[in-house]
Structure formats: C-alpha cells, structure tokens
Amino acid sequence: MVIQTASHRTERARAVWDVLHQVMDPEIPVISVVDLGIVREVHDEAGALEVIVTPTYTGCPATKQIEFDIRQALDKAGFEDADMQISLSPAWTTDWITQQGREQLKAFGIAPPEGKTGKRALFAGDANVACPRCASRDTEQISEFGSTACKSLWRCRTCREPFDYFKCI
Amino acid sequence: MSKVDPLFETCLRLGDTALVLGQRLAEWSSKAPTVELDIALSNHALDMIGQAQLFLEYAGRVEGKGRDEDALAYHRQDFEFRNAMIAELPKGDFACTMVRQLLFATYASMFYERMTASTDADLAAIAGKAEKEMAYHARHAGEWVVRLGDGTEESHQRAQDAVNLLWPYAHELFQTDVVDQAMIETGVLPDAAAFKGEWLGEIEAVLKRATLSLPEDDWMPSGGRSGQHTEHLAYLLAEMQVLPRAYPDAKW
Ligand SMILES: [Zn+2]
C-alpha cells in the first residue's frame, strides 16, 4: 500500500518507479523489489529525489545485495543523485506483497502468503496451504524453515510435489 | 568510573544479548539433528545477529564516538559486554538449546511487543521487526519442547535437565537496576517485571503439555547486564572476534 502523495507523481518519480520495477529480488528473481513491498516511497521534492526502502527480515542476508542492486539500477538510469534511505518503521509485512507479486510467486512454484498477518500465538501454524502447481489443499508442512527464513517447506499429497511457502509475517 | 549513559547502556544490553545468543545458535550450523533443524537454527541465528546489528549500530550513534556495530561487536572484551547470562551459557544438547529458546524468545516477544510503544523512535522501530521474529522463535521452540518432554524416556530426561539448568538464569531477564529504572521512567523501555506473571503462565502451559516441571526457585544469578559474566563468554568472544582482531581493517 504505497502512499501516493503529490511528490510521488512527478515525471521523475514515475521514472524512478519504472526503474525499480526492473530490480528483481536476488533470491526469487521473478519478483521485483516493488512487488515485494521493499520499496516504500519515492519522493521528488524541491528537485531532491528520495527512495525509501524497508528490509524484510533483520537477519536477511539478501538485504545488502538488494540495497546494492537498487543503488546500481538508479545510478545506471541516471539517478545518481537519488538518496536512498533505509526505514525500519513501519516494519515490513507480507501484506505489502502486491497482487501481481503473489501471482509471480505462484508461477515460480512458491505458494504466496495466505491471508493477513495475525498476532503471535503459540502452536498456531498456518492452515493447509494451496499447492502452487495443482491448487490442492491436501498438503502438509515438512519444515517450518525452508531455503530462507521467509519460506517454509511443504509437500502436496495430491501431485506429490514438494514446494516452498512464503510465510505470513 | 565515568558517568554511564543509560540509553547507550540499554542499547548494549539489547544488542549484546541478541549477538551472543545468535552466536550460540550459529554453533548448530552443520551440526543440528536434522537438515531441517540445521536450516531453522541457522535462520534463527541470522535473526538474532540482524537484531544485534540494529541495536549496536544505534548504540554507536548514541555514544557518538565513531564506533560502529562492528567495532562494538568485535573490539570489546568480555567485561564490556552487557548481555544477560542466559545467552552465553554453552549450547548444550538440542534439548538445552530448545529450552533456552523457549524461555528467552517468549520473554523477548513480550518485551519487544511492548517496546514498539517506546518513546525512543529508533528502539520502537527495531522492536517492531524483532517482535515478529521472536514470536516464531518462541513457537518453534515450544513445539520442540513438547515433542522432547513428551517423547522418549531419554528425551524427557534431557529436557527436564535443561529446564533445571537454565531456570535460575531466566530471572535476570526480569530484574531492573538504576539504568532500567531511568529508561522505564522516561517510557523508553517497558518494565519487564510487569509481565513476568504472563510470561510464567505461557512457560508453565508449554511445560505442562511437555510433562515437564519447573524446579523450586533457588539461587538467581545475575550480573551479566552490568558486565559480570560466566567463564563461558570469554571463550565465545575469542572465537567470534579472532579474525577482526587479527586483521582489524579487513573487508570482505
Ligand atoms: Zn499439488
């Protein structure tokens, strides 16, 4: 839910959004940093460009790479003067992944986060996640942590394929 | 002794506890009982080290002497560390690690949940991220403590031994001194003592499902948060700091 204010709607700000749409997540290269909800705001005020970026997990090893990729894309597109700010608050949530981003995750074989993030609860795991291949809900979690902190590992009992699930946080 | 800045001290306490516990969790990398747990514990270690980085970076800004998070992590000695002692105890067996995770992460998720309302904007922002991570650490640990406690005779015994060993150290998390009092009064930190009952309720509920029991309250060691540590911390730091101390300006 990117907040659209006047400073977002200048031509330069729009051009920066276009550039950022081309920057892919290094670990899931089918989803852009915009669709992942990492890029929060682009301001163009009094000639000064500012890009606000929010990291996903505090310990995510991809964070530095993502910041580097964004910086490089901005520089290459002629926005060397754009200032990149890292903002922790409000904290990133999977609710910020766009609808398009969810479709891209699914097409890549990763089940997108389902529903909204809730409050902390002991012993309350995610309900059965839909298989990204065959859409069956006859699935089971194999491991709460998958290849990265943001994913858990699941198996589909219908098509027998294992898959990653992008957890709600 | 020079005058202590309570905010700097607080950032060190939060950052050092996260850093030292992260280091202990990382000791499981390539050694966990299953590959899934190996990945889980390595991910948990990364979360803790990520939180430590945020707290220590802020500590450096508060101090204003040009020390960044790396300088604070790698170029201080054990008596300068301000972590709670429960974080520095050896990782022990898998049951010991899971019981510590349950005790600490349950506490930390409650603490950070309240710290999101801090009058200090930086600490509130870090808490907003850390709160979510500690909640799933607590859930993961709770599930394993039940599995181990309510498992075989041996897993039950090991889990009970871990509870007996770690329980005395849990109290330090809820103790307050002049530094904490100053921060609580200004609304920077929540008062941990205020939710100890709620925490105890959650821990007891998990232990009951796990058929485990709490030992009698006896000695309650403390002092880690003011720089008095067990012998274990120095060994942990020696391993963690060896490379940056040997090559102080190394980049990688
Ligand atoms: Zn399927």
Side-chain angles (χ1 to χ4, degrees):
Chain A
M1 270 56 22
V2 175
I3 310 133
Q4 296 282 342
T5 60
S7 63
H8 290 80
R9 289 195 291 265
T10 69
E11 208 149 301
R12 284 211 313 160
R14 254 197 299 267
V16 168
W17 278 115
D18 288 343
V19 169
L20 296 174
H21 266 289
Q22 305 303 316
V23 180
M24 297 293 137
D25 177 81
E27 283 175 348
I28 314 167
V30 293
I31 182 167
S32 78
V33 293
V34 174
D35 285 311
L36 205 48
I38 293 173
V39 177
R40 301 302 303 148
E41 294 170 45
V42 177
H43 295 293
D44 181 15
E45 266 175 35
L49 269 175
E50 191 180 42
V51 177
I52 314 259
V53 172
T54 298
T56 54
Y57 287 66
T58 54
C60 181
T63 301
K64 285 275 168 251
Q65 185 64 41
I66 291 172
E67 289 169 20
F68 178 81
D69 290 348
I70 291 175
R71 183 73 260 170
Q72 202 180 36
L74 289 171
D75 290 353
K76 259 174 132 173
F79 297 111
E80 293 97 337
D81 57 331
D83 183 30
M84 186 168 73
Q85 292 288 332
I86 311 299
S87 171
L88 296 180
S89 178
W92 181 84
T93 153
T94 43
D95 296 348
W96 292 351
I97 300 177
T98 64
Q99 196 50 47
Q100 187 184 340
R102 285 161 204 264
E103 296 302 324
Q104 287 164 333
L105 284 175
K106 212 193 286 180
F108 192 60
I110 299 172
E114 294 189 353
K116 290 272 177 187
T117 51
K119 276 266 128 198
R120 66 185 195 90
L122 280 170
F123 305 115
D126 291 285
N128 282 22
V129 168
C131 169
R133 273 168 224 282
C134 73
S136 165
R137 284 205 178 262
D138 187 15
T139 57
E140 61 183 337
Q141 181 177 282
I142 301 170
S143 170
E144 195 179 341
F145 293 87
S147 51
T148 60
C150 57
K151 286 173 265 155
S152 55
L153 193 57
W154 288 64
R155 163 165 56 209
C156 176
R157 293 201 194 95
T158 304
C159 73
R160 316 299 298 171
E161 286 289 332
F163 64 91
D164 272 338
Y165 169 57
F166 206 115
K167 289 180 283 189
C168 273
I169 187 170
Chain B
M1 201 171 115
S2 62
K3 204 165 155 284
V4 179
D5 175 358
L7 182 57
F8 175 62
E9 195 74 5
T10 290
C11 293
L12 289 185
R13 289 173 176 188
L14 294 167
D16 288 347
T17 299
L19 178 63
V20 170
L21 187 55
Q23 188 71 12
R24 283 292 182 222
L25 288 168
E27 290 174 5
W28 283 103
S29 291
S30 83
K31 295 196 186 85
T34 67
V35 70
E36 288 82 5
L37 283 169
D38 209 292
I39 295 167
L41 291 175
S42 299
N43 275 313
H44 289 184
L46 281 172
D47 287 340
M48 300 313 295
I49 292 165
Q51 291 168 19
Q53 194 178 7
L54 295 172
F55 284 126
L56 294 180
E57 187 273 336
Y58 184 41
R61 274 190 284 137
V62 170
E63 187 190 37
K65 291 182 183 166
R67 289 202 282 185
D68 65 5
E69 64 270 30
D70 284 349
L72 288 168
Y74 295 131
H75 298 287
R76 279 183 302 147
Q77 302 193 50
D78 54 350
F79 59 85
E80 296 171 282
F81 269 71
R82 295 291 182 264
N83 59 283
M85 282 194 285
I86 193 168
E88 75 202 38
L89 299 176
K91 78 181 197 309
D93 59 14
F94 180 65
C96 183
T97 287
M98 283 299 109
V99 170
R100 169 163 53 192
Q101 285 296 94
L102 174 70
L103 297 176
F104 179 77
T106 306
Y107 153 83
S109 69
M110 291 178 171
F111 189 84
Y112 292 140
E113 187 182 356
R114 287 158 178 82
M115 201 169 94
T116 56
S118 173
T119 52
D120 184 290
D122 285 86
L123 289 183
I126 299 171
K129 298 207 72 71
E131 173 202 7
K132 298 178 176 200
E133 294 165 353
M134 298 321 298
Y136 66 69
H137 288 207
R139 191 176 74 219
H140 181 258
E143 286 171 355
W144 272 104
V145 169
V146 170
R147 231 170 260 151
L148 294 169
D150 195 16
T152 66
E153 204 174 308
E154 183 178 1
S155 72
H156 174 87
Q157 191 54 50
R158 287 193 185 211
Q160 187 61 57
D161 290 347
V163 172
N164 297 345
L165 173 79
L166 293 167
W167 183 246
Y169 293 90
H171 301 287
E172 188 186 10
L173 298 170
F174 295 94
Q175 289 164 359
T176 53
D177 61 8
V178 285
V179 171
D180 300 305
Q181 292 302 340
M183 294 287 94
I184 292 166
E185 272 165 32
T186 49
V188 172
L189 285 187
D191 185 356
F195 62 85
K196 190 173 183 184
E198 193 187 326
W199 171 83
L200 187 61
E202 282 205 14
I203 298 298
E204 282 177 334
V206 175
L207 294 184
K208 188 159 178 266
R209 284 178 67 163
T211 71
L212 297 167
S213 53
L214 282 178
E216 294 282 315
D217 279 336
D218 189 3
W219 66 305
M220 300 183 186
S222 70
R225 296 166 75 252
S226 49
Q228 291 157 334
H229 295 282
T230 66
E231 63 175 329
H232 306 295
L233 181 64
Y235 291 99
L236 178 145
L237 295 182
E239 188 176 337
M240 186 182 86
Q241 297 177 335
V242 62
L243 201 66
R245 281 184 185 270
Y247 305 96
D249 296 315
K251 295 260 180 285
W252 58 82

